[in-house]
Each structure stands twice: as structure tokens, then as C-alpha cells.
Amino acid sequence: MNASDTVGSTPAPREQATPRDKPASRDKPWIFRTYAGHSDAAESNKLYRNNLAKGQTGLSVAFDLPTQTGYDPDHVLARGEVGKVGVPISHLGDMRALFADIPLAQMNTSMTINATAAWLLSLYIAVADEQGADRKALQGTTQNDLVKEYLSRGTYVFPPRPSMALTTDIVVFTARELPKWNPTNVCSYHLQEAGASPVQELSFALATAIALLDSIRARPEVSAQQFPEVVGRISFFVNAGMRFVTELCKMRAFVELWDEITLGRYGVTDEQMRRFRYGVQVNSLGLTEPQPENNVYRILIEMLAVTLSKKARARAVQLPAWNEALGLPRPFDQQWSLRMQQVLAYETDLLEFGDIFDGSTVIDAKVADLKAAALEELAKIDDMGGALAAIETGYMKQALVENGARRIEAIERGEQIVIGVNKFTSSEPSPLSAGEGNVVTVPDSVELEAVSRLKAWRSARDTKACEGALAELALAAREARNVMPASIACAKAGVTTGEWAQTLREIFGEYRAPTGVDTSKLGDNADLATVKAAVARATEKLGRTPRFLVGKPGLDGHSNGAEQIAVRARDAGMAVSYGGIRQTPEEIVAQAQETKADIIGLSILSGSHLPLVRDVTARLRVAGMDVPVVVGGIIPPDDENALRNMGVAAVYTPKNFELDGIIADVAGLAAKGRP
């Protein structure tokens, strides 16, 4: 994610150059990061130290879903999720282990954390204090963009307005205590993953930043003189897809729009404080399961879009691994992506020149078009009352679901070519993904060990000190005081992640964001004729419309696939029930009973499919429901076989991109064996 460094701030002489092309200086490279963390804090610490030894220049911490959503490993919603998509951090002891032998005063650390950002930053500060680090020396980023959580990632906890207050608390606190820290990362990355067009990515992200800056400016703790420096610490985290020229122009548009907004709307006259500072992970949505070796080229091309233009160059880059559509990448796979950055930065002459696109009429025209369309969309959102209002009404979510559906339809029709998926599909077997151990798997024992460590931590701590710290946290929240000081006190007292979050849940409440599935039909055309015929046959056999329950068990908030399946099934004529993210297996079975579902589809992308599907199918048997179950997600072949042995009727992975075929299967299974 973002770094506090700015590109070119410390020029270094070039060691080898010919007299003809010897440059005056060479820009400093961006920060090299690898998004990493899984299993437990000790294992993740080893991974971080190994990556730093390979030339990585900053850390990017992936937290598991219970940590991101404020649950301890022993909570019912954490079952099957512990350590799967990131590292579980339940208390100060875990954070100590995560950064053992890593001096935080000398490190630049990015933490992908949002709803519980105030808590994880508090734990980080507590460890830094133990190390004797000066808080003013701490450098890094907390992602801390709650708005996009309601639209794409789904790890929100509280309603939008209390969430904005928590984000603002961090910004205000770090401005005073951690002046080198980036307190928030406005994330357009996840918007593109959820279906955003370049214009939507620009406008939705900038609307989020405007809402945040308005909230900060309203705080009495931030004076008019201090405000420009706070603006200068706001950073962004973006995405870059395969449309290389458009993505490059999008980044130049971001730079220009942010400069214009911070000057015109907020009166920031210092040009350096108006600089668009961003980190990037290139597109993961476009990574393919078929012919996954092609993803190496995709990642490289996408990286060029955010590095070639000096005026719009990322301050930090982290790249996905080529095999992330298959499962968790191995250390070698992450190293390969790191080397890609290093080759570009150190072996080419990219950093020796100014912006090579200045003066291009083609680039200038495309940038102007993107800016005009983004400003039009920003005005529409502003008329609604801003980003928070556009979330609460469901406007933004519906727009993303609709645009995502158009993207999938374009691939299905062959209008958008994806090599190995809908064109040039014949392939030699890949030795890169053959054999055992081609992806990392997290054993179920990780969860048991985490629960055991948690129990030991609770029994060893000072219970009264924890209770007192939590009481002070609750009081600060009720009185609308900044929660950061009380949160740091909680961290040092031994409070757990679940206890901190539950205290604030009781005050702020929880929230269910609009799903976007209730949007109007995208089209009633001949393209749906085949799948509508399959639904019609099922209807005739059942004597009524087939009932399809789409469920999201566990904490996985990546709902894009579930939403697209639900929308397509509804448009094809099925009666669809979709309750959104974060359901327990018990809730899904109860909903199946209530809706008299003919078939259940479970979407799980966190790697927790085996324990969660096992739980759902067992509960269906106990309830006496003989209902077929289908499962979608990033599922290795061995796990696919295990799911079928549990009785799962069909398994769909990223290679199954044709939604009509999936819905036709679902309709047929719904009617199979029914009177």
C-alpha cells in the first residue's frame, strides 16, 4: 500500500552510463511490497523476514477475516476462517510475535485493515512503545477506508456514519502522534474488483475522500493551519487492469483531479500537500485459472500502467502472484512477483527520465474525457448528499453490480477477449502448477492452536485491568471522544480483538449493507433464451418457479460472484433469495427452510469451503432437507473431490465463467427428482 516516501525525493547517481545518455540523476524506486500473512503470527514473521532478506523494502500485512471483522478465533463466525486469508491477531501477544526482530522505527508497514483499523493500529503502537520506538518515527499505512467496505470488500462492522467517525479519529490522532503515518488509504482497488468502470473508480474514490476531508475539517482538534498537512497524509490504493492506455490515463486523471479538488474545495495552497500519493496492487479480478501462466504477463503489463508515467507513478507497489486464482501462493510465487518489480526498477532506464507521456495529444484527450465523466458523476453523488448517502440508498452498490454484470456478459459473448478463457483455449499442461504443494494450504489445526493460545492469554492477563480499559473505551465512544487513546490503553491491558469490537458494537450497532441484487433487470434479450428455457423446464416439472437460495457462509466479504449469480438467476426467471454476506451455517439452513428452497448455492472465496460446507450439509441432514447444494469459490482439485464426497452436487471455480451454463445447471438440479 502507500508509503510516506515520495518518488524522486533522494536521487542517487547512476553507476553505469555511456557518455551519450548519462542522466543527471536517477529517481528513487517505489517501495516494493508483497501482501502476505497466514496461519499464525510466528509463521508470518518468518515469511516477512525472509521477504525483507530478498530485497522487499516494506511490509504489507494481510489479516485473517475474524481479525478484520472484529471476532476472536473462538467465535462461531470465525469457524473455518482462522488464518486462511491472513494472519490472526487477537491481542498484544500476537502483535509482538508478528513483528519479533523487526525494528518498527525503521520499517514501513502497510496494514490492510478497515473496520478494526483503530484497534490494529493501537496494537502496533503498543508494540512500538515496547520496542522503545519514537512514535513520530513510525512510518506506514492503515487502509482504513470504510466506505468501500460497504461496496465491495464486505468487512465492515458498524453503520457508515460511526465508521466515518472512527476513520476520522485515526486521522486526527496520527496527525498529532504519528506524523509520518498514512492514516487512511482511499481504496479504488476494490471498486474495480467489484465491477467499477474507470470513471466509477475515479468518482467513487474521490467522493469517499471528499466525505473524509469534510469530516476531518469539522473536527475542532484540527485547526485551519494544520488542515493542509492532514490533507497531505491522505493516500490512495488503486487498481490497474489490462486496458493499459486507459489505466495509465486514469492515473493521470486521478493526479489532476485530486490537485484541483484539494486546491479549489479545500484551499490547500502548498503544492506538495496536494500531491496524489498512492500505492497499488494490480488487478486480481482478471487472473485466470485456465492457463494461469499467462497471468505473469498480465501482472507485468498492469504494473507498467502505474509506473511508466512519472507524474502519476505509484509510491508503493505490491503485485499478486500468478497462481492466486488457484489458491494461496507459495513463497516462490511471491518472490517471482517481487523480482518483476526489481527488474523494472533496476535493470531498465525508466527512472532516469521525466514523464515520457507529456505532450501526447492522445493521452491528454483520454485524460480529459475521464476527468469530465468523473466530475459529472461526482456532481450526481454530491447532489445525493455525498458518499455516505449514496451508500445508504444503495446507489453505488447497484452501479457496481450492474457494471460487473456487463463485464461478465462481454466475456461470455466474446466481446472482451481473455486468452485461455474464451479464446485460444487449447493448452499444453503447465509444469508450474503440477504436483503436490503447488499452492499453500492452511491446516485446520491452525484454528485449534489459535483458540488454545487465546484461552491461555485470557487466563494470564489482569481481568480487572481489561474491564477498566474497556469501560473507558465505551465511555469515549458514547461521549464522541477520540477512541485511539482508550484503544491503546486496551491493547496494553490485554484486551482481545473480539472484546474491543463487541464493546463498540453495543454502542454503534451493526449494519447490513444493500446487496445491489435488487437492481432492475439488465436486459430481457435473446442472450438469456437458453437459460430461460432451462428454468422453464424446471418450472414445468415443479409446477411452480424454482426457488434458489444463494448463501455466503462465514466471514468472506467478496460477494461479487454471489451477486452476479443471484442477478442472472433472477433475470432468467428463478425465485432468488440472497441474504448478503456473513451468514452462519445455521442461518443459511433456517433460511432454506423458511423459503422452501429447491437448491442452495454457497459462495466461499476465503479457502474455508471444507469446514463451512461440511457444517451446512450436516445441518441440512439434521433438518431433514434433501436439497441439492452447489458451491463456488477458489477451490483446488483435491478439495473439489472432498466436497463431492460430502454430497455437493456441483462445484464451480473461476474457470466456469459462463453464468448461463451455471444457472442452467442449477435449474436442472432444482427440479431433479422432484414431483
Side-chain angles (χ1 to χ4, degrees), residues 8 44 78 80 88 355-356 437 445 452 460 604 645:
S44 296
D355 199 301
I356 60 177
S445 60
S452 178
I604 309 165
N645 289 335

Side-chain angles (χ1 to χ4, degrees), residues 415-498:
E415 296 167 2
Q416 180 173 332
I417 293 173
V418 182
I419 303 302
V421 174
N422 63 0
K423 196 173 183 66
F424 308 121
T425 55
S426 62
S427 176
E428 297 294 329
S430 170
L432 295 174
S433 55
E436 294 184 7
N438 60 321
V439 293
V440 172
T441 56
V442 178
D444 292 341
S445 60
V446 164
E447 183 172 320
L448 299 175
E449 291 164 0
V451 172
S452 178
R453 287 193 302 271
L454 177 64
K455 289 179 179 178
W457 177 266
R458 286 174 179 157
S459 65
R461 66 185 182 176
D462 185 333
T463 303
K464 288 187 177 180
C466 288
E467 291 173 351
L470 286 169
E472 175 57 26
L473 173 67
L475 188 62
R478 288 194 180 95
E479 294 177 352
R481 289 188 279 121
N482 195 307
V483 302
M484 284 301 298
S487 296
I488 295 170
C490 283
K492 294 182 176 182
V495 166
T496 69
T497 296

Side-chain angles (χ1 to χ4, degrees), residues 168 211-220 222-224 227 265-267:
T168 307
L212 176 60
L213 289 181
D214 286 351
S215 177
I216 295 166
R217 191 165 58 174
R219 287 289 182 95
V222 179
S223 67
F227 184 72
R265 184 181 179 111
Y266 297 105

Side-chain angles (χ1 to χ4, degrees), residues 35-39 44 47-48 60-63 83-87 328 334:
Y35 184 53
H38 60 80
S39 299
S44 296
L47 181 62
Y48 296 161
S60 182
V61 182
F63 296 101
K84 289 288 173 64
V85 301
V87 57
L328 283 174
Q334 293 185 328

Side-chain angles (χ1 to χ4, degrees), residues 557-577:
H558 287 104
S559 58
N560 307 335
E563 290 156 0
Q564 294 303 328
I565 288 288
V567 167
R568 186 68 63 87
R570 182 211 59 202
D571 287 357
M574 298 187 77
V576 177
S577 299

Side-chain angles (χ1 to χ4, degrees), residues 165-228:
L166 287 174
T167 300
T168 307
D169 282 353
I170 297 175
V171 175
V172 172
F173 178 84
T174 55
R176 182 178 67 250
E177 296 282 335
L178 284 74
K180 293 184 178 181
W181 193 265
N182 299 314
T184 188
N185 224 209
V186 179
C187 292
S188 72
Y189 169 85
H190 302 83
L191 301 180
Q192 187 179 127
E193 296 289 299
S197 67
V199 169
Q200 289 171 331
E201 192 176 342
L202 284 164
S203 56
F204 289 10
L206 291 171
T208 297
I210 288 169
L212 176 60
L213 289 181
D214 286 351
S215 177
I216 295 166
R217 191 165 58 174
R219 287 289 182 95
E221 307 99 299
V222 179
S223 67
Q225 293 75 26
Q226 293 173 313
F227 184 72

Side-chain angles (χ1 to χ4, degrees), residues 287 292 295 321-330 333 432-433 438-439:
L287 297 180
N295 293 329
W322 67 280
N323 56 350
E324 285 190 17
L326 308 177
L328 283 174
R330 301 159 296 188
D333 306 317
L432 295 174
S433 55
N438 60 321
V439 293

Side-chain angles (χ1 to χ4, degrees), residues 55-191:
Q56 189 173 299
T57 53
L59 294 178
S60 182
V61 182
F63 296 101
D64 74 351
L65 289 174
T67 304
Q68 291 186 52
T69 51
Y71 295 107
D72 287 331
D74 58 352
H75 193 279
V76 61
L77 276 170
R79 289 177 188 166
E81 304 281 17
V82 177
K84 289 288 173 64
V85 301
V87 57
I89 299 295
S90 302
H91 46 68
L92 183 59
D94 286 340
M95 192 65 96
R96 283 186 194 128
L98 187 65
F99 293 107
D101 300 318
I102 298 176
L104 297 188
Q106 301 169 32
M107 186 50 54
N108 193 305
T109 305
S110 172
M111 295 192 284
T112 300
I113 199 73
N114 296 283
T116 56
W119 174 242
L120 272 298
L121 179 58
S122 295
L123 290 171
Y124 189 87
I125 291 169
V127 170
D129 287 351
E130 289 181 347
Q131 290 185 359
D134 182 353
R135 291 185 182 181
K136 289 183 169 50
L138 298 180
Q139 297 184 70
T141 302
T142 33
Q143 189 170 99
N144 200 28
D145 176 0
L146 271 301
V147 172
K148 68 97 174 54
E149 293 301 305
Y150 306 109
L151 301 176
S152 53
R153 184 61 190 84
T155 61
Y156 58 83
V157 176
F158 314 112
R161 295 180 192 277
S163 294
M164 180 59 76
L166 287 174
T167 300
T168 307
D169 282 353
I170 297 175
V171 175
V172 172
F173 178 84
T174 55
R176 182 178 67 250
E177 296 282 335
L178 284 74
K180 293 184 178 181
W181 193 265
N182 299 314
T184 188
N185 224 209
V186 179
C187 292
S188 72
Y189 169 85
H190 302 83
L191 301 180

